Amino acid sequence: MRSKLLRFGKGFRVAFAVRKAQAAEMVIAPGDSEGGPDNRHRGADQWLYVVSGAGVAIVDGRRVVLKTGRLLVIERGERHEIRNTGRAPLRTLNFYYPPAFDADGDPVGPGRKT
């Protein structure tokens, strides 16, 4: 068993990985975004759960409104950007299958960004 208290500080932080899955927390400041039109994970699916805040996800040109409680799956290879459109930080919990980042948050393995 593994356990960790998530603090949802600034930026992107890997919580931990087990076998073929990985958890990470991401906080995006109001008006900021992560990713972009060319951002994709070649070999990993990303499950994004909105813990708090508001925003929009643009996945392969389609827009999805993000708000507390929303679960979004970005499948491997889909180009995506996550934008904070609210007045408070956008806090998300992300799962990658397989793991896409090392402990420092740098892309690795088949799930790395392109």
Side-chain angles (χ1 to χ4, degrees), residues 23-41:
E25 53 188 293
M26 180 170 63
V27 177
I28 302 172
D32 284 350
S33 66
E34 288 292 328
D38 294 323
N39 176 57
R40 64 188 173 112
H41 308 286

PDB file of all heavy atoms in Angstrom, residues 23-41:
ATOM      1  N   ALA A  23       0.218   8.867 -10.552  1.00  0.00           N
ATOM      2  CA  ALA A  23      -0.648   9.950 -10.105  1.00  0.00           C
ATOM      3  C   ALA A  23       0.167  11.235  -9.985  1.00  0.00           C
ATOM      4  O   ALA A  23       1.327  11.197  -9.564  1.00  0.00           O
ATOM      5  CB  ALA A  23      -1.284   9.617  -8.758  1.00  0.00           C
ATOM      6  N   ALA A  24      -0.449  12.352 -10.356  1.00  0.00           N
ATOM      7  CA  ALA A  24       0.215  13.649 -10.254  1.00  0.00           C
ATOM      8  C   ALA A  24      -0.824  14.720  -9.948  1.00  0.00           C
ATOM      9  O   ALA A  24      -1.988  14.605 -10.334  1.00  0.00           O
ATOM     10  CB  ALA A  24       0.939  13.980 -11.557  1.00  0.00           C
ATOM     11  N   GLU A  25      -0.375  15.747  -9.262  1.00  0.00           N
ATOM     12  CA  GLU A  25      -1.245  16.901  -8.999  1.00  0.00           C
ATOM     13  C   GLU A  25      -0.782  18.060  -9.864  1.00  0.00           C
ATOM     14  O   GLU A  25       0.416  18.218 -10.125  1.00  0.00           O
ATOM     15  CB  GLU A  25      -1.228  17.260  -7.522  1.00  0.00           C
ATOM     16  CG  GLU A  25       0.159  17.471  -6.941  1.00  0.00           C
ATOM     17  CD  GLU A  25       0.144  17.627  -5.431  1.00  0.00           C
ATOM     18  OE1 GLU A  25      -0.395  18.634  -4.947  1.00  0.00           O
ATOM     19  OE2 GLU A  25       0.694  16.744  -4.761  1.00  0.00           O
ATOM     20  N   MET A  26      -1.738  18.854 -10.347  1.00  0.00           N
ATOM     21  CA  MET A  26      -1.412  20.000 -11.195  1.00  0.00           C
ATOM     22  C   MET A  26      -2.252  21.183 -10.750  1.00  0.00           C
ATOM     23  O   MET A  26      -3.466  21.049 -10.548  1.00  0.00           O
ATOM     24  CB  MET A  26      -1.682  19.667 -12.661  1.00  0.00           C
ATOM     25  CG  MET A  26      -1.359  20.799 -13.612  1.00  0.00           C
ATOM     26  SD  MET A  26      -1.406  20.309 -15.361  1.00  0.00           S
ATOM     27  CE  MET A  26      -3.118  19.847 -15.587  1.00  0.00           C
ATOM     28  N   VAL A  27      -1.588  22.322 -10.596  1.00  0.00           N
ATOM     29  CA  VAL A  27      -2.274  23.556 -10.240  1.00  0.00           C
ATOM     30  C   VAL A  27      -1.924  24.608 -11.292  1.00  0.00           C
ATOM     31  O   VAL A  27      -0.745  24.862 -11.551  1.00  0.00           O
ATOM     32  CB  VAL A  27      -1.873  24.045  -8.831  1.00  0.00           C
ATOM     33  CG1 VAL A  27      -2.551  25.363  -8.505  1.00  0.00           C
ATOM     34  CG2 VAL A  27      -2.201  22.988  -7.785  1.00  0.00           C
ATOM     35  N   ILE A  28      -2.951  25.191 -11.893  1.00  0.00           N
ATOM     36  CA  ILE A  28      -2.769  26.208 -12.917  1.00  0.00           C
ATOM     37  C   ILE A  28      -3.357  27.517 -12.397  1.00  0.00           C
ATOM     38  O   ILE A  28      -4.523  27.562 -11.979  1.00  0.00           O
ATOM     39  CB  ILE A  28      -3.457  25.794 -14.239  1.00  0.00           C
ATOM     40  CG1 ILE A  28      -2.905  24.450 -14.723  1.00  0.00           C
ATOM     41  CG2 ILE A  28      -3.274  26.876 -15.301  1.00  0.00           C
ATOM     42  CD1 ILE A  28      -3.653  23.869 -15.907  1.00  0.00           C
ATOM     43  N   ALA A  29      -2.558  28.565 -12.412  1.00  0.00           N
ATOM     44  CA  ALA A  29      -2.978  29.870 -11.914  1.00  0.00           C
ATOM     45  C   ALA A  29      -4.033  30.494 -12.846  1.00  0.00           C
ATOM     46  O   ALA A  29      -4.072  30.178 -14.046  1.00  0.00           O
ATOM     47  CB  ALA A  29      -1.774  30.809 -11.808  1.00  0.00           C
ATOM     48  N   PRO A  30      -4.860  31.396 -12.324  1.00  0.00           N
ATOM     49  CA  PRO A  30      -5.854  32.067 -13.162  1.00  0.00           C
ATOM     50  C   PRO A  30      -5.196  32.720 -14.379  1.00  0.00           C
ATOM     51  O   PRO A  30      -4.159  33.363 -14.263  1.00  0.00           O
ATOM     52  CB  PRO A  30      -6.449  33.124 -12.227  1.00  0.00           C
ATOM     53  CG  PRO A  30      -6.274  32.534 -10.864  1.00  0.00           C
ATOM     54  CD  PRO A  30      -4.949  31.814 -10.922  1.00  0.00           C
ATOM     55  N   GLY A  31      -5.793  32.483 -15.551  1.00  0.00           N
ATOM     56  CA  GLY A  31      -5.276  33.054 -16.788  1.00  0.00           C
ATOM     57  C   GLY A  31      -4.167  32.257 -17.442  1.00  0.00           C
ATOM     58  O   GLY A  31      -3.794  32.536 -18.581  1.00  0.00           O
ATOM     59  N   ASP A  32      -3.619  31.257 -16.763  1.00  0.00           N
ATOM     60  CA  ASP A  32      -2.526  30.450 -17.314  1.00  0.00           C
ATOM     61  C   ASP A  32      -3.059  29.172 -17.960  1.00  0.00           C
ATOM     62  O   ASP A  32      -4.228  28.817 -17.811  1.00  0.00           O
ATOM     63  CB  ASP A  32      -1.524  30.075 -16.221  1.00  0.00           C
ATOM     64  CG  ASP A  32      -0.624  31.238 -15.824  1.00  0.00           C
ATOM     65  OD1 ASP A  32      -0.640  32.267 -16.510  1.00  0.00           O
ATOM     66  OD2 ASP A  32       0.095  31.092 -14.820  1.00  0.00           O
ATOM     67  N   SER A  33      -2.151  28.467 -18.648  1.00  0.00           N
ATOM     68  CA  SER A  33      -2.520  27.205 -19.275  1.00  0.00           C
ATOM     69  C   SER A  33      -1.332  26.254 -19.257  1.00  0.00           C
ATOM     70  O   SER A  33      -0.192  26.671 -19.051  1.00  0.00           O
ATOM     71  CB  SER A  33      -2.989  27.432 -20.713  1.00  0.00           C
ATOM     72  OG  SER A  33      -1.924  27.896 -21.510  1.00  0.00           O
ATOM     73  N   GLU A  34      -1.616  24.992 -19.476  1.00  0.00           N
ATOM     74  CA  GLU A  34      -0.598  23.946 -19.610  1.00  0.00           C
ATOM     75  C   GLU A  34      -0.856  23.222 -20.913  1.00  0.00           C
ATOM     76  O   GLU A  34      -1.997  23.031 -21.310  1.00  0.00           O
ATOM     77  CB  GLU A  34      -0.676  22.950 -18.455  1.00  0.00           C
ATOM     78  CG  GLU A  34      -0.188  23.490 -17.137  1.00  0.00           C
ATOM     79  CD  GLU A  34       1.306  23.750 -17.103  1.00  0.00           C
ATOM     80  OE1 GLU A  34       2.064  23.025 -17.784  1.00  0.00           O
ATOM     81  OE2 GLU A  34       1.715  24.666 -16.393  1.00  0.00           O
ATOM     82  N   GLY A  35       0.212  22.791 -21.555  1.00  0.00           N
ATOM     83  CA  GLY A  35       0.068  22.094 -22.826  1.00  0.00           C
ATOM     84  C   GLY A  35      -0.005  23.091 -23.962  1.00  0.00           C
ATOM     85  O   GLY A  35       0.556  24.163 -23.896  1.00  0.00           O
ATOM     86  N   GLY A  36      -0.742  22.733 -24.980  1.00  0.00           N
ATOM     87  CA  GLY A  36      -0.884  23.596 -26.141  1.00  0.00           C
ATOM     88  C   GLY A  36      -1.281  22.778 -27.346  1.00  0.00           C
ATOM     89  O   GLY A  36      -1.473  21.565 -27.249  1.00  0.00           O
ATOM     90  N   PRO A  37      -1.398  23.423 -28.477  1.00  0.00           N
ATOM     91  CA  PRO A  37      -1.919  22.720 -29.659  1.00  0.00           C
ATOM     92  C   PRO A  37      -1.058  21.553 -30.123  1.00  0.00           C
ATOM     93  O   PRO A  37      -1.555  20.656 -30.803  1.00  0.00           O
ATOM     94  CB  PRO A  37      -1.988  23.820 -30.715  1.00  0.00           C
ATOM     95  CG  PRO A  37      -1.128  24.921 -30.217  1.00  0.00           C
ATOM     96  CD  PRO A  37      -1.087  24.818 -28.725  1.00  0.00           C
ATOM     97  N   ASP A  38       0.215  21.525 -29.759  1.00  0.00           N
ATOM     98  CA  ASP A  38       1.084  20.425 -30.179  1.00  0.00           C
ATOM     99  C   ASP A  38       1.424  19.475 -29.036  1.00  0.00           C
ATOM    100  O   ASP A  38       2.212  18.554 -29.206  1.00  0.00           O
ATOM    101  CB  ASP A  38       2.375  20.967 -30.795  1.00  0.00           C
ATOM    102  CG  ASP A  38       2.099  21.711 -32.090  1.00  0.00           C
ATOM    103  OD1 ASP A  38       1.206  21.270 -32.847  1.00  0.00           O
ATOM    104  OD2 ASP A  38       2.764  22.727 -32.345  1.00  0.00           O
ATOM    105  N   ASN A  39       0.841  19.673 -27.857  1.00  0.00           N
ATOM    106  CA  ASN A  39       1.118  18.839 -26.695  1.00  0.00           C
ATOM    107  C   ASN A  39       0.310  17.546 -26.774  1.00  0.00           C
ATOM    108  O   ASN A  39      -0.897  17.570 -26.969  1.00  0.00           O
ATOM    109  CB  ASN A  39       0.748  19.595 -25.422  1.00  0.00           C
ATOM    110  CG  ASN A  39       0.920  18.762 -24.186  1.00  0.00           C
ATOM    111  OD1 ASN A  39       2.000  18.262 -23.909  1.00  0.00           O
ATOM    112  ND2 ASN A  39      -0.153  18.594 -23.440  1.00  0.00           N
ATOM    113  N   ARG A  40       1.002  16.414 -26.638  1.00  0.00           N
ATOM    114  CA  ARG A  40       0.330  15.121 -26.566  1.00  0.00           C
ATOM    115  C   ARG A  40       1.243  14.128 -25.867  1.00  0.00           C
ATOM    116  O   ARG A  40       2.451  14.329 -25.804  1.00  0.00           O
ATOM    117  CB  ARG A  40      -0.052  14.609 -27.950  1.00  0.00           C
ATOM    118  CG  ARG A  40       1.119  14.330 -28.848  1.00  0.00           C
ATOM    119  CD  ARG A  40       0.636  14.007 -30.261  1.00  0.00           C
ATOM    120  NE  ARG A  40       1.769  13.902 -31.156  1.00  0.00           N
ATOM    121  CZ  ARG A  40       2.170  12.781 -31.732  1.00  0.00           C
ATOM    122  NH1 ARG A  40       1.506  11.663 -31.528  1.00  0.00           N
ATOM    123  NH2 ARG A  40       3.210  12.765 -32.518  1.00  0.00           N
ATOM    124  N   HIS A  41       0.647  13.086 -25.331  1.00  0.00           N
ATOM    125  CA  HIS A  41       1.393  11.990 -24.725  1.00  0.00           C
ATOM    126  C   HIS A  41       1.286  10.820 -25.687  1.00  0.00           C
ATOM    127  O   HIS A  41       0.203  10.273 -25.886  1.00  0.00           O
ATOM    128  CB  HIS A  41       0.827  11.629 -23.352  1.00  0.00           C
ATOM    129  CG  HIS A  41       0.704  12.805 -22.440  1.00  0.00           C
ATOM    130  ND1 HIS A  41       1.791  13.390 -21.844  1.00  0.00           N
ATOM    131  CD2 HIS A  41      -0.372  13.530 -22.064  1.00  0.00           C
ATOM    132  CE1 HIS A  41       1.377  14.418 -21.122  1.00  0.00           C
ATOM    133  NE2 HIS A  41       0.077  14.524 -21.243  1.00  0.00           N
TER     134      HIS A  41
END
